[in-house]
Amino acid sequence: MKDVRQSFRPVTRAPLSLLVSGKLREAIVSGDLRDGTELASEKELSEQFGVGRSTIREALRVLQAQGFLSGGDSVSTARPRVSIESTFTSASDALVNAMRLRQIPLGDLIQLRLLLEGEAVRNADPASGRIAVAREALDQMRAAGADIDAFHDADVRFHIALSGCSGNCAFSLVMTALRDTIAGHLRGALGALQNPAGALQVLTAEHGAILDALDDGDRDLAKRLLEAHVWGFYTSEVPPDA
């Protein structure tokens, strides 16, 4: 008979503070604790989790360092609040640092972005208010003319809105971090255009075609147009060694 004891490994116990921070993080990610919600006091949390206040204090520090709670960058007696904006910043900073360390090539980030945004478009909800936001951004692009900064701002708004049109809030969160990470590269490519007015007009038309396909209910076509739009610009305007 096989000695099953040979397959066992020592059991490690995570610190209580990490278990508590994990439970709170789950509540934030699931939406049970919404953005801006002020947490209960240390005493109340201590009673709810059945742990000491020092454990609660350490758990909150972990979440502040990860960007889920406010107060991580200052000394304050106020109770921390759920901070989605801080989460976006933390995720974006992590991607930026990984790129600087050359752990994630820009092309890989573009591919990840297309996987997320393409899936969102393929499962788009026709009644989604995010599509209306994308159309407003398209109007801003048309009004931008040759103004690269105005076009870039509208372009970012367009794609962030599009990533949320399926109702998956995780897509929007990750897309925000991705767009923030690659924004400098794409902004530089826009600035290097030889004929900004003409190039921006073509890009605007491509954005419009994506929305037209969604309006017609052809989500597969919208996905293909999105992929052609992003990869077309990336391969023609961004240096291959970026």
Side-chain angles (χ1 to χ4, degrees), residues 55-70:
T55 296
I56 294 297
R57 198 172 300 120
E58 183 58 30
L60 298 182
R61 289 196 188 105
V62 169
L63 292 174
Q64 288 171 330
Q66 293 174 342
F68 287 95
L69 297 177
S70 64

Side-chain angles (χ1 to χ4, degrees), residues 8 19 31 54 62-64 111 119 125-127 132 145 160 163 165 172 198:
F8 293 154
L19 295 176
S54 61
V62 169
L63 292 174
Q64 288 171 330
Q111 189 172 15
E119 189 66 13
D125 177 3
I160 295 297
S163 70
C165 67
S172 296

Side-chain angles (χ1 to χ4, degrees), residues 108-178:
D108 289 357
L109 292 178
I110 296 289
Q111 189 172 15
L112 175 58
R113 172 192 159 187
L114 271 179
L115 286 173
L116 294 173
E117 196 172 352
E119 189 66 13
V121 167
R122 194 172 69 84
N123 293 281
D125 177 3
S128 172
R130 305 303 294 167
I131 294 179
V133 173
R135 191 161 293 284
E136 291 174 0
L138 178 61
D139 291 339
Q140 292 173 351
M141 290 181 207
R142 289 169 174 157
D147 187 334
I148 291 174
D149 289 331
F151 178 90
H152 182 261
D153 290 345
D155 176 77
V156 169
R157 187 183 181 205
F158 178 94
H159 286 283
I160 295 297
L162 212 58
S163 70
C165 67
S166 69
N168 189 320
C169 58
F171 285 177
S172 296
L173 188 153
V174 178
M175 265 293 296
T176 299
L178 286 173

